[in-house]
Amino acid sequence: MSIKSALRALDSAIDDLTSLHVQTYSGSIKWAEAWKEAAKASDDEPRTVTSMRTFEGFSDQLASDAKVSLVADTLIKFDGDSYNFIAQDATSTESALTLHKDAVEAGINTRLGLMELVRDVFK
Amino acid sequence: MSSSKPRNIPSYPEGQIDGVAWNTRDALGVYGDFESALDQCEAMGVLSERPATIGECQHTNYEVLASAIGERLALLGYVAENSEQARTLYRRNKTAFAKAVTEFQSGAGLKPDGWTGKKTWTALGYLVNFEHDDVDHSDDLPAPLLRYDPRLPAVKRAAKLRLRILGLTSGRPSEHSPGPHKSAVKRFCTIINDLGMPPLESEDRLTARAVALLLNHDRLVSALATVSDGTIEKGAPVRRKRQGRSVTLPGDTRKSLRRLVIKVVRIELWLLGYDVDINASTLYPVCAVQGQRHKKHPEKTALGRHLAEFYRHFMNVQDEAEIRQRAGKIDQDLFRAFDQVDQADSDVAKGQDAEDVYNATVHRRFENQAEVSKALELGVSLGLKIWDGMKRLWRWIKKKVIRVIDVGKNIYRAFFRYAVKGFQIVRTAMRAMVQSVSTYLKGELVFGEASHVTPKIHCQIKKDMDTRILISPQAPARLCQKAGTGLQLFSMRFLLACRILSMTLAALKASAASFLGWALLAKSLTHHLKELIPLYRQLTATEAQFQGEPA
């Protein structure tokens, strides 16, 4: 991975830097089985290919799969507003919520790194 | 040099000594001829044998010293010869000379070894000389001799000699009669007491104080100068009180007083450098003796002429009439003048002490092997001290230089360690950057299974860092914890990667500039490295935590 390709990927992602959205689910989905089949068919980076492809259709998968439930949802806006959801009837455990919290924190730090990089590039 | 001229004296080529010969002939050859001629003359007896060793030189010098020693020993009666004969005793009979020296040493409380060293010579001078310098003899002389203990035979002999010189006894010290007769002692003590000097303890026996007064001429002159005013001028009283009774002084006491006073005056003038015969007539007007009148023409006698010269030169009296009047008699003023001159000489001598000590130390000739050895030891000791000081100085310089080198080494080590640390940080940061960028581009993190088919925790990361996490019902709590740590690790790596990317961009921008740009680059690197260090430490700790957590 070269710096050039990283910058290109960064450029494509920078459009949605105004908000940070973290969702945590619990359960199993069918695309995992498809992912398994794809892995069998080809060993050429199955996870990357599969995940990149399935990320966009993740919500649809969730809707059709009753075994997956939302544990927590966090949305942090650019202006500082944040929205947090924790399911009441979820079978989530404390460890799942901790993982969600870590993910939010990691997202914030990563976003901070991106912002600093942008600042230094244009300084 | 022999007085008789032997035959067949080898001729020396005199013409070759001139400058021309020296310039035209080998100098060593000429010197060899001279040496050869000397050897031949020596072999034929023309030249006396030259001293071959230092010991022989000292032996020759000792002969000169021995003549003075023999004279003093004769004065003290250790040699039964007159002074002139005693001068040659050492050359004539060394055994007798050594025996006399040994006897004197025993009598003076010295070690009887028969050799006249410094101590024996000092003791002889202490007992025979009229004047004693102010040098402290406590190191050279035994204490009894220093305080004139009259029990010492040598002190008794010296006292008898001095009484004879002062005209108070006729006998000279000898083997059979070493000490003074009681009558002579009594005569001296009576005079001292009659003149009103500090009284002696006893008039019948010789005491240490009486001997000290006898042997130290300056002390006797000082005592005569400090008697009651008019005592000598008016003469000692014919009648005086003794033990509460008024008695008449015997006539011989008055004669003795006159002789003593005149002898003291003669000795003092002799010590002042006048050619005075100490043993000459003792007939001269002394005011201490009743019936003596002033000489109207003192210049007609030798003593009168010397006294006139003394007043003229030492007392600066210019009036000839006054000189004649003062020289015509011996009175208390004369002793006061003597004492004044002695004090002045003493002051001058004290003022010259430092110079004398210097001369004695620096210019003194070593007289025996012991002094040579002592001087050698002193020189060696001084040399060792100097060498030791130089070694200390060298050690000090070496220590300082080593310290400076150590400081330089430490600075270099610190710089090297800092550079290595910086390189390590940069290397770790680059690795973290690669990993984080790889994860970022891959868009997912998977935890819980070696196989990628059925992950227990699946994190999907979008380019804008939006995240979705799917936790499998089979995922244990510790796996959730590990996944959280993994997300944070990714975040830190990404942050570090961004900063390194920023630093690299700054470096690229700076490298495009000139020397100033490089300076700015250095400043930028330093600035960013400061920021990277805490992040690096946090990253390292998180990595360790992530590796330590169970899958």
Side-chain angles (χ1 to χ4, degrees):
Chain A
M1 179 68 63
S2 64
I3 294 177
K4 186 178 177 182
S5 58
L7 286 174
R8 193 181 298 117
L10 182 65
D11 182 57
S12 64
I14 210 157
D15 297 337
D16 198 19
L17 284 175
T18 54
S19 65
L20 174 66
H21 194 189
V22 179
Q23 292 173 309
T24 302
Y25 296 89
S26 178
S28 57
I29 55 177
K30 289 181 179 177
W31 58 263
E33 297 298 327
W35 189 5
K36 185 178 177 181
E37 294 300 323
K40 284 181 180 178
S42 173
D43 288 335
D44 184 16
E45 295 183 354
R47 273 190 282 179
T48 303
V49 174
T50 306
S51 59
M52 289 297 287
R53 187 177 61 244
T54 57
F55 190 89
E56 300 302 329
F58 189 71
S59 299
D60 301 335
Q61 291 281 349
L62 291 176
S64 61
D65 195 340
K67 292 182 180 178
V68 175
S69 59
L70 184 63
V71 177
D73 192 341
T74 300
L75 178 63
I76 301 174
K77 292 285 188 180
F78 180 75
D79 56 1
D81 293 342
S82 63
Y83 303 93
N84 295 288
F85 168 79
I86 298 174
Q88 288 183 342
D89 55 346
T91 57
S92 59
T93 61
E94 186 179 354
S95 58
L97 292 175
T98 303
L99 176 57
H100 179 80
K101 181 183 170 188
D102 289 341
V104 171
E105 190 175 346
I108 292 172
N109 286 332
T110 309
R111 187 70 60 89
L112 179 63
L114 277 172
M115 299 299 290
E116 284 183 357
L117 179 60
V118 171
R119 182 198 65 187
D120 290 340
V121 166
F122 293 104
K123 189 166 63 175
Chain B
M1 181 76 70
S2 174
S3 58
S4 61
K5 185 178 179 181
R7 291 175 298 178
N8 301 325
I9 295 176
S11 60
Y12 181 73
E14 296 178 357
Q16 296 179 6
I17 298 180
D18 60 15
V20 176
W22 280 102
N23 290 332
T24 56
R25 191 178 173 192
D26 178 25
L28 286 176
V30 174
Y31 182 74
D33 291 343
F34 180 63
E35 279 287 293
S36 176
L38 277 180
D39 291 340
Q40 289 182 41
C41 290
E42 193 173 295
M44 295 168 65
V46 178
L47 296 173
S48 61
E49 189 178 355
R50 291 168 294 171
T53 63
I54 295 176
E56 289 183 14
C57 293
Q58 290 175 346
H59 180 77
T60 306
N61 292 334
Y62 188 70
E63 278 191 0
V64 178
L65 183 66
S67 64
I69 295 168
E71 186 179 9
R72 282 165 171 74
L73 291 173
L75 288 172
L76 292 175
Y78 288 104
V79 177
E81 296 174 341
N82 61 37
S83 297
E84 291 299 322
Q85 292 172 333
R87 283 178 173 274
T88 58
L89 177 63
Y90 177 75
R91 195 165 61 239
R92 289 183 287 109
N93 190 345
K94 291 184 174 57
T95 306
F97 181 84
K99 182 183 175 186
V101 171
T102 305
E103 195 177 349
F104 167 73
Q105 289 170 332
S106 300
L110 299 168
K111 181 183 177 183
D113 56 3
W115 174 260
T116 307
K118 184 181 179 184
K119 291 183 179 179
T120 305
W121 176 253
T122 305
L124 273 172
Y126 195 66
L127 294 177
V128 175
N129 291 357
F130 286 115
E131 280 187 321
H132 294 171
D133 48 20
D134 292 329
V135 177
D136 183 12
H137 294 298
S138 57
D139 291 338
D140 299 328
L141 300 181
L145 184 61
L146 268 178
R147 62 172 183 270
Y148 297 110
D149 189 345
R151 290 172 295 185
L152 289 174
V155 174
K156 285 180 183 177
R157 287 173 183 251
K160 187 173 184 178
L161 172 66
R162 194 56 60 89
L163 285 172
R164 182 174 185 271
I165 292 172
L166 293 176
L168 300 180
T169 185
S170 57
R172 48 182 293 191
S174 65
E175 187 180 356
H176 302 293
S177 176
H181 195 269
K182 284 184 179 178
S183 61
V185 175
K186 186 172 184 179
R187 206 172 288 132
F188 174 73
C189 296
T190 302
I191 290 170
I192 296 300
N193 289 340
D194 285 350
L195 286 176
M197 296 183 195
L200 300 171
E201 298 90 335
S202 170
E203 290 187 356
D204 299 325
R205 62 182 175 84
L206 204 59
T207 61
R209 194 162 150 266
V211 176
L213 206 57
L214 258 178
L215 299 187
N216 194 327
H217 183 76
D218 289 342
R219 194 178 295 183
L220 184 58
V221 169
S222 295
L224 286 169
T226 55
V227 297
S228 302
D229 284 343
T231 301
I232 293 179
E233 288 89 335
K234 295 176 182 176
V238 177
R239 297 178 66 83
R240 59 174 296 189
K241 287 187 176 181
R242 283 190 180 177
Q243 297 176 348
R245 293 189 300 123
S246 179
V247 296
T248 302
L249 287 176
D252 65 333
T253 304
R254 293 201 298 274
K255 289 179 184 176
S256 299
L257 173 63
R258 186 185 63 192
R259 279 200 298 270
L260 181 139
V261 168
I262 292 174
K263 288 284 187 182
V264 169
V265 170
R266 285 184 179 279
I267 293 168
E268 184 64 25
L269 289 172
W270 180 76
L271 290 173
L272 289 174
Y274 292 101
D275 186 17
V276 180
D277 182 7
I278 296 174
N279 295 321
S281 169
T282 56
L283 292 174
Y284 202 82
V286 177
C287 287
V289 180
Q290 194 178 31
Q292 294 286 319
R293 293 182 180 179
H294 288 71
K295 272 188 175 296
K296 290 184 180 178
H297 301 285
E299 67 276 7
K300 291 183 178 178
T301 63
L303 183 58
R305 284 195 297 274
H306 292 314
L307 285 174
E309 285 297 314
F310 170 76
Y311 281 116
R312 193 175 289 121
H313 293 143
F314 281 89
M315 306 310 293
N316 289 325
V317 180
Q318 305 298 328
D319 187 3
E320 289 298 324
E322 184 184 354
I323 291 172
R324 188 181 300 112
Q325 193 269 336
R326 296 181 71 170
K329 62 181 174 62
I330 296 173
D331 56 13
Q332 198 175 12
D333 283 343
L334 178 61
F335 289 100
R336 286 174 179 163
F338 283 156
D339 192 44
Q340 187 179 342
V341 172
D342 288 343
Q343 291 296 330
D345 287 346
S346 175
D347 291 343
V348 171
K350 285 177 182 174
Q352 292 175 341
D353 275 353
E355 187 179 352
D356 291 344
V357 169
Y358 172 79
N359 289 333
T361 306
V362 177
H363 298 297
R364 188 169 62 86
R365 179 182 174 185
F366 300 132
E367 295 179 352
N368 52 47
Q369 188 58 39
E371 289 187 358
V372 173
S373 301
K374 187 178 178 182
L376 185 62
E377 286 178 9
L378 187 65
V380 171
S381 172
L382 189 63
L384 287 175
K385 284 182 181 175
I386 294 173
W387 176 245
D388 186 57
M390 290 177 66
K391 281 202 297 185
R392 285 170 184 267
L393 181 64
W394 170 244
R395 280 202 294 267
W396 182 81
I397 292 172
K398 198 164 73 171
K399 192 175 175 183
K400 293 295 178 187
V401 170
I402 288 173
R403 183 170 293 179
V404 170
I405 292 174
D406 286 344
V407 169
K409 280 183 180 177
N410 288 336
I411 291 173
Y412 171 74
R413 285 173 186 160
F415 175 77
F416 182 74
R417 285 178 185 173
Y418 189 76
V420 169
K421 192 73 177 175
F423 176 75
Q424 191 178 358
I425 290 172
V426 170
R427 189 182 62 177
T428 306
M430 294 301 289
R431 178 170 51 84
M433 183 183 73
V434 170
Q435 289 175 347
S436 64
V437 170
S438 174
T439 304
Y440 176 76
L441 293 177
K442 189 166 65 176
E444 67 172 358
L445 277 172
V446 177
F447 302 97
E449 283 295 336
S451 169
H452 55 269
V453 178
T454 55
K456 290 181 179 175
I457 296 178
H458 187 203
C459 300
Q460 290 183 321
I461 303 170
K462 283 184 71 176
K463 297 297 182 288
D464 60 352
M465 294 299 158
D466 287 348
T467 307
R468 285 197 181 94
I469 302 169
L470 177 61
I471 303 172
S472 170
Q474 292 82 21
R478 61 175 184 276
L479 188 61
C480 292
Q481 188 177 355
K482 186 176 178 71
T485 307
L487 281 170
Q488 286 186 344
L489 185 61
F490 161 72
S491 170
M492 287 177 191
R493 283 171 175 169
F494 191 80
L495 185 59
L496 191 64
C498 289
R499 287 189 178 173
I500 288 176
L501 192 60
S502 174
M503 198 168 74
T504 307
L505 290 173
L508 290 173
K509 285 199 300 186
S511 63
S514 60
F515 175 77
L516 181 62
W518 284 106
L520 291 172
L521 171 61
K523 181 186 173 187
S524 172
L525 288 172
T526 307
H527 176 71
H528 283 90
L529 197 60
K530 279 183 187 175
E531 294 178 351
L532 283 179
I533 287 174
L535 192 60
Y536 165 78
R537 287 174 182 163
Q538 194 176 0
L539 175 66
T540 308
T542 308
E543 277 184 341
Q545 183 184 353
F546 182 73
Q547 295 295 332
E549 287 177 354

